[in-house]
Amino acid sequence: MTPAIEAAREANLSFQIHEYEHDPSIQFYGEEAAAELGIDRKRVFKTLVVKLSTQELCVCVLPVMHQLNMKSAARAAGVKKATMANAKSVVRVTGYVLGGVSPIGQKRNLRTFIDATAGNFDSVYVSGGRRGLDIELNILGLAELLQADLVDLC
């Protein structure tokens, strides 16, 4: 059991666990999850950690087939600039390996933003805390658990 699953259970969220065999040669983890689980990739969301111009780290959750717009991330956070956080920082603050970073159950509670397109679906898929493990859950429950704002990130 991962910290993400434990946190979802503790919050009494309704969720489903989906596992698949991760292929180590694949680097696009969200795309792999969509293909392996046979679901629309619009419903699979990746978790990215960004560093704001204030040095604060925050989490952006967005569809796997989109790129994060750094200006949109900065605007959502109310700062001038955002850049991708370095890999060591991501692992240190989240407690997860790259490719398995879940927005749920991180070591530190970081301010979180979810792309507004998540509201188009009853449920979305996010990493369950390791490669080859996704959690499907209701977007409203996810946003409430993470105290996240739904904003345009792409």
Side-chain angles (χ1 to χ4, degrees):
M1 184 173 335
T2 66
I5 294 170
E6 288 177 19
R9 282 195 176 134
E10 286 176 16
N12 289 319
L13 288 181
S14 176
F15 65 92
Q16 286 188 293
I17 298 169
H18 299 276
E19 293 187 80
Y20 58 92
E21 189 67 36
H22 167 65
D23 179 347
S25 69
I26 295 179
Q27 294 183 357
F28 297 100
Y29 307 110
E31 295 279 351
E32 177 190 30
E36 290 293 320
L37 298 174
I39 52 174
D40 184 344
R41 62 190 188 138
K42 292 176 185 171
R43 293 180 61 201
V44 180
F45 282 63
K46 59 186 170 186
T47 304
L48 301 176
V49 179
V50 298
K51 183 177 183 180
L52 304 175
S53 53
T54 58
Q55 303 306 305
E56 174 190 5
L57 297 178
C58 70
V59 174
C60 295
V61 182
L62 60 147
V64 298
M65 76 275 197
H66 289 294
Q67 293 288 319
L68 175 62
N69 181 309
M70 290 299 174
K71 288 183 181 181
S72 296
R75 190 176 317 113
V79 299
K80 291 184 179 185
K81 188 176 177 186
T83 57
M84 291 302 298
N86 70 49
K88 284 184 178 180
S89 295
V90 172
V91 171
R92 187 181 71 250
V93 301
T94 66
Y96 294 118
V97 298
L98 297 181
V101 176
S102 179
I104 307 167
Q106 296 181 358
K107 280 185 178 179
R108 288 181 39 201
N109 290 329
L110 301 176
R111 193 157 44 136
T112 301
F113 302 99
I114 300 172
D115 189 73
T117 59
N120 296 337
F121 307 101
D122 291 333
S123 65
V124 294
Y125 295 71
V126 296
S127 175
R130 65 175 167 77
R131 297 174 191 151
L133 176 69
D134 271 37
I135 299 176
E136 176 187 4
L137 35 73
N138 175 281
I139 186 57
L140 296 178
L142 177 64
E144 184 177 327
L145 174 65
L146 301 174
Q147 298 178 339
D149 294 320
L150 269 65
V151 297
D152 291 325
L153 291 174
C154 303

